[in-house]
Amino acid sequence: MADARPFHWEYEEPPVEREAFRVEGGRPLRGEVAVSGAKNAALKLLAAATLTGERCRFTNVPEIADIRVLVETLRDLGVVVDHPAPNTYEVAAGDVDWLFVPLEAAAKMRASFILLGPLLARFGRVIISNPGGDRIGRRPVNLHVDAMRALGARIDYRNGYYFAQAPGRLRGGTVTFPGVTVMGTENAILAATLADGHTTITPAAREPEVDDLIAFLRAMGAEVERTAPEVIEVEGRRRLRGAEHRVMADRIEAGTFAIAAAITGGEVTLHGAPVGALGAFLDVLTRVGVDVRTEGETIVVRGAPTGSGAYRATDIRTDPYPGLATDLQSPTAVLLTQASGTSRIHETIFEDRLEWLDDLRRMGARLEIEDAHHATIHGPARLHGAEVAMSDLRAGASLILGALAADGESLIHGTHQVRRGYENIEDKLLSLGARIERLSDR
Ligand code: UD1
């Protein structure tokens, strides 16, 4: 390891572009929207390309801030990343001479930890920042680290960094997770593709983005197979080759726009939607009484007129796939503010995904947050404009939804949060007739 470059022990959040959205609510959204590529697939696919020195090509990559962060991180490592056309990226990881993923990358995006498995497997060593910094328990990655150890890696933790080594090659083994972890599963798969021997991963996450990754790895020549719903087996190969892949569609973006139509009493047609991956979510829409029809890769959502009281309250519970995605929990909460009766939310995956409901309350929602995992929403509530700030990506999108359904004007600060994961969200909303405007927030 070329140790000449200093580590960044001190980290200060870089200045982010200060921007707010001004939203004039109460207009039904009407029209057609093309669903973008999935953030949670694209990030892992670009990371997977470092498993080979040959060129890999990806289409339908969403143009979002999280992809830019990963691209910059890869380039800092010496990986060539070309961007020949919008939504197309080419990655060639021939010479990677700097196996160090700094805190800057990890602090901006936890998913940069997905580089651990492929870099360790291909180059035998990597130093990678803990995305939670030294704050134990925040954004934990212990399951990723345990998985690498199960494959023979030696990993030490010092001063916020994991120093990982695999003298010789990683060796196949049994990776047993205590519960479902999406990126943990993906990191284990990525590492195992170049390990010596056979690996079994259980319980393996069933999220469709994991299978998108598997499809690409197989095109690279990897031997990876989901042999049972929660079991993935990998036979390690000595080397993989370059391949091409079209990123699957983003089910979270599709769900967000479906709710935008439902809560504004509009009618939106979603093209290129991952209908098969949205089962639990479409089921919730149907239970609430939203008119939703699917045909092939198209979803048509017709909202009931606002204030008509046509929607029914329902209880929702997030779960690993095929359950309702935690990333769609907050958009669904906005829908439930418009449903008659009392709805309960049970968030089973994360501890901090209900806090943003305080902001929704400032828009007039009637709700109680009982604890980190449970909330109750009483509807229908007439939402009104408010001044709020996005605390994270999913909360950000949901505040925009709230503002679209509200009477009057909202000012939503912190738009960089939603840019992390939604491609061109304001242009897409404008094309549906929303009144949304970007303001400099200095
Ligand atoms: C991924 C998605 C995220 C989604 C989540 C759950 C990406 C980039 N992000 O995140 O959008 O909300 O799946 O579907 O794909 N955990 C640990 N230790 C670990 C790893 C996870 O305790 O080492 C815990 C987490 O805190 C959480 C649970 O395991 O409570 C599941 O998290 P996980 O499935 O790993 O989420 P991510 O893969 O990080």
Side-chain angles (χ1 to χ4, degrees), residues 64 79 118 128 142 201 250 259 266 304 413 416:
I64 53 175
V79 176
I128 187 164
N142 57 311
I201 302 164
D250 197 309
I259 288 188
H413 300 279
H416 62 279

Side-chain angles (χ1 to χ4, degrees), residues 39-40 43-44 110-111 140-144 180-183 207 326-327 349-350 353:
K39 166 178 96 70
N40 286 352
L43 290 170
K44 299 27 162 335
R110 181 175 176 280
V141 288
N142 57 311
L143 303 177
H144 302 232
V180 175
T181 161
V182 177
M183 277 213 294
E207 270 63 10
T326 172
D327 292 347
I349 312 282
F350 290 109
R353 290 253 168 133

Side-chain angles (χ1 to χ4, degrees), residues 42-61 71 74 79-85 87-94 118 122 190 194 213 215-222 239-247:
L43 290 170
K44 299 27 162 335
L45 292 161
L46 293 180
T50 63
L51 287 165
T52 178
E54 295 181 20
R55 184 166 281 260
C56 297
R57 181 181 163 86
F58 303 100
T59 54
N60 204 36
V61 178
V71 166
L74 289 170
V79 176
V80 175
V81 185
D82 293 329
H83 189 192
N87 305 107
T88 300
Y89 286 77
E90 292 181 3
V91 181
R122 170 126 178 265
L190 290 164
L194 288 179
L213 176 64
F216 172 62
L217 290 169
R218 289 167 72 113
M220 294 176 87
R239 54 169 35 92
L240 302 179
R241 56 177 182 264
E244 261 196 63
H245 189 79
R246 181 180 164 81
V247 180

Side-chain angles (χ1 to χ4, degrees), residues 170-422:
L170 288 174
R171 44 166 209 275
T174 304
V175 176
T176 311
F177 291 114
V180 175
T181 161
V182 177
M183 277 213 294
T185 300
E186 292 165 332
N187 241 335
I189 297 172
L190 290 164
T193 55
L194 288 179
D196 187 13
H198 191 87
T199 297
T200 305
I201 302 164
T202 171
R206 296 169 67 181
E207 270 63 10
E209 292 77 14
V210 177
D211 292 275
D212 207 39
L213 176 64
I214 292 175
F216 172 62
L217 290 169
R218 289 167 72 113
M220 294 176 87
E223 258 184 69
V224 189
E225 199 180 338
R226 190 184 285 281
T227 50
E230 292 209 338
V231 182
I232 290 173
E233 294 189 57
V234 185
E235 189 64 44
R237 284 289 178 91
R238 280 218 158 260
R239 54 169 35 92
L240 302 179
R241 56 177 182 264
E244 261 196 63
H245 189 79
R246 181 180 164 81
V247 180
M248 70 172 284
D250 197 309
R251 59 198 167 107
I252 310 304
E253 190 204 26
T256 305
F257 278 89
I259 288 188
I263 56 176
T264 60
E267 177 172 338
V268 172
T269 302
L270 299 167
H271 295 290
V275 173
L278 279 163
F281 173 72
L282 295 176
D283 188 47
V284 170
L285 292 191
T286 308
R287 272 183 358 236
V288 169
V290 179
D291 178 358
V292 45
R293 289 162 209 210
T294 64
E295 198 188 318
E297 293 187 341
T298 301
I299 303 179
V300 182
V301 182
R302 289 189 189 85
T306 28
S308 65
Y311 295 145
R312 297 179 292 272
T314 192
D315 295 345
I316 62 166
R317 175 193 151 107
T318 61
D319 271 307
Y321 192 84
L324 178 67
T326 172
D327 292 347
L328 282 171
Q329 176 261 109
S330 48
T332 304
V334 181
L335 173 64
L336 296 177
T337 66
Q338 301 307 301
S340 303
T342 298
S343 302
R344 296 208 75 215
I345 299 177
H346 185 181
E347 165 61 52
T348 72
I349 312 282
F350 290 109
E351 307 270 311
D352 56 1
R353 290 253 168 133
L354 297 174
E355 292 161 8
W356 80 282
L357 287 171
D358 279 330
D359 285 319
L360 191 58
R361 198 191 340 243
R362 295 173 69 180
M363 292 181 161
R366 287 182 289 128
L367 55 89
E368 292 104 40
I369 306 171
E370 278 127 62
D371 57 41
H373 295 283
H374 299 90
T376 303
I377 297 186
H378 309 279
R382 208 175 168 102
L383 301 185
H384 52 74
E387 184 169 353
V388 288
M390 300 182 179
S391 53
D392 67 30
L393 166 61
R394 303 303 168 193
S398 305
L399 287 175
I400 295 176
L401 289 174
L404 291 169
D407 291 333
E409 187 178 289
S410 294
L411 194 58
I412 310 175
H413 300 279
T415 62
H416 62 279
Q417 297 285 6
V418 83
R419 293 196 192 294
R420 286 189 41 217
Y422 286 81

